[in-house]
């Protein structure tokens, strides 16, 4: 059975303190791995799609990487506005079906 | 309106009520989705529509009934719900089945 596990469940950072979130997965026929950001009371906001091991993508203070078993979301010098829950999801060959992890709640304090 | 919109944003209903959730996407996408997000649990895919045709029903109870009249609109009809159905219901759309999905703000549903 496919599994997506995110760690840690929660992360508290000081402003400027870089860290990484982990998304480990077991899925046959990975089509893509997606990262989303979700603010309280809102829908998830798309960040990145990674398709193959070794691929990296960056956006402002965020950088996502992918290996054959896991993905990392690196947050460099975070600011309070980076506080959110970060979700990863995997897509198999099945059309349209995303399987989400439980998320990592990140709080960045000034 | 831009992106994906959902109405209502909040809904409180009794177990014997019938209500509907509405989703509209303004992105020109071909696929639409319903997800359920419960506290402390991962998002659960409920239904997938591709060009108005349902391609996925993820073992959802029959008290949830989806309707997709065209590629821009998606409804979720609710009847005789249970308190454990209380959750955030999210609609999403994508250009194709393997592209990134864009989410609406969700409907917070409370079943009394």
């Amino acid at each position: 059975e496919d599994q997506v596990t995110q760690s840690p469940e929660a992360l508290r950072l000081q402003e400027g303190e870089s860290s990484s979130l982990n998304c480990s997965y077991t899925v046959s026929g990975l089509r893509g791995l997606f990262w989303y950001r979700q603010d309280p009371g809102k829908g998830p906001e798309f960040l990145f799609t990674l398709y193959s091991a070794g691929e990296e993508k960056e956006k402002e203070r965020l950088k996502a990487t992918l290996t054959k078993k896991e993905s990392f979301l690196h947050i460099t010098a975070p600011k309070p506005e980076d506080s959110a829950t970060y979700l990863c999801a995997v897509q198999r060959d099945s059309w349209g079906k995303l399987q989400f992890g439980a998320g990592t709640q990140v709080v960045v304090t000034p | 309106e831009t992106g994906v919109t959902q109405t209502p944003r909040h809904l409180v209903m009794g177990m014997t009520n019938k209500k509907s959730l509405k989703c509209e996407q303004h992105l020109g996408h071909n696929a639409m989705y319903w997800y359920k997000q419960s506290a402390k649990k991962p998002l659960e895919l409920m239904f997938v529509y591709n060009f108005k045709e349902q391609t996925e029903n993820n073992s959802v109870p029959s008290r949830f009934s989806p309707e997709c009249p065209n590629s821009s609109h998606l409804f979720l009809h609710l009847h005789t719900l249970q308190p454990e159905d209380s959750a955030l219901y999210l609609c999403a759309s994508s250009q194709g089945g393997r592209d990134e999905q864009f989410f609406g703000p969700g409907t917070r549903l409370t079943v009394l």
Side-chain angles (χ1 to χ4, degrees):
Chain A
E1 185 179 321
D2 298 346
Q3 284 196 333
V4 182
T5 304
Q6 291 189 246
S7 62
E9 289 185 13
L11 187 61
R12 193 171 186 88
L13 301 171
Q14 290 281 336
E15 185 172 1
E17 178 188 1
S18 301
S19 188
S20 296
L21 315 181
N22 177 267
C23 172
S24 63
Y25 62 90
T26 53
V27 59
S28 57
L30 180 73
R31 169 63 181 82
L33 186 141
F34 300 78
W35 281 99
Y36 287 84
R37 167 198 170 119
Q38 186 173 24
D39 294 303
K42 296 187 177 182
E45 174 189 345
F46 171 73
L47 293 174
F48 305 108
T49 309
L50 301 167
Y51 294 105
S52 57
E55 189 174 1
E56 299 181 352
K57 288 194 176 173
E58 287 188 68
K59 179 180 180 180
E60 295 181 354
R61 296 175 293 281
L62 300 177
K63 180 180 177 180
T65 62
L66 181 65
T67 72
K68 289 187 177 180
K69 294 184 179 180
E70 58 192 350
S71 177
F72 292 94
L73 184 66
H74 308 278
I75 310 178
T76 302
K79 298 182 177 182
E81 53 262 43
D82 295 320
S83 298
T85 296
Y86 291 87
L87 306 171
C88 78
V90 297
Q91 187 175 53
R92 290 172 49 190
D93 292 337
S94 303
W95 196 95
K97 188 170 183 175
L98 289 183
Q99 182 164 347
F100 280 83
T104 294
Q105 184 179 24
V106 174
V107 174
V108 182
T109 56
Chain B
E1 295 279 17
T2 60
V4 180
T5 58
Q6 291 186 243
T7 55
R9 293 295 310 277
H10 301 271
L11 179 62
V12 179
M13 59 187 290
M15 289 191 286
T16 58
N17 291 158
K18 290 185 179 181
K19 297 286 185 183
S20 295
L21 310 184
K22 179 184 175 182
C23 173
E24 184 173 0
Q25 60 95 359
H26 309 268
L27 300 168
H29 289 168
N30 300 317
M32 297 188 76
Y33 312 80
W34 279 117
Y35 287 87
K36 176 183 179 182
Q37 188 174 34
S38 304
K40 304 296 184 184
K41 293 177 69 175
L43 270 79
E44 301 171 56
L45 178 66
M46 300 175 71
F47 301 103
V48 180
Y49 277 83
N50 175 27
F51 287 101
K52 304 186 298 177
E53 298 295 324
Q54 184 175 315
T55 60
E56 184 89 21
N57 176 338
N58 210 23
S59 302
V60 179
S62 60
R63 57 186 183 268
F64 295 91
S65 175
E67 178 189 0
C68 188
N70 54 61
S71 58
S72 298
H73 294 85
L74 186 64
F75 296 87
L76 188 62
H77 303 298
L78 315 171
H79 63 97
T80 59
L81 294 190
Q82 304 298 311
E84 58 264 30
D85 296 321
S86 298
L88 182 68
Y89 288 85
L90 292 159
C91 173
S93 70
S94 66
Q95 179 57 44
R98 294 186 174 134
D99 298 315
E100 55 270 17
Q101 297 176 15
F102 293 85
F103 286 81
T107 294
R108 173 67 63 185
L109 174 66
T110 303
V111 182
L112 302 176

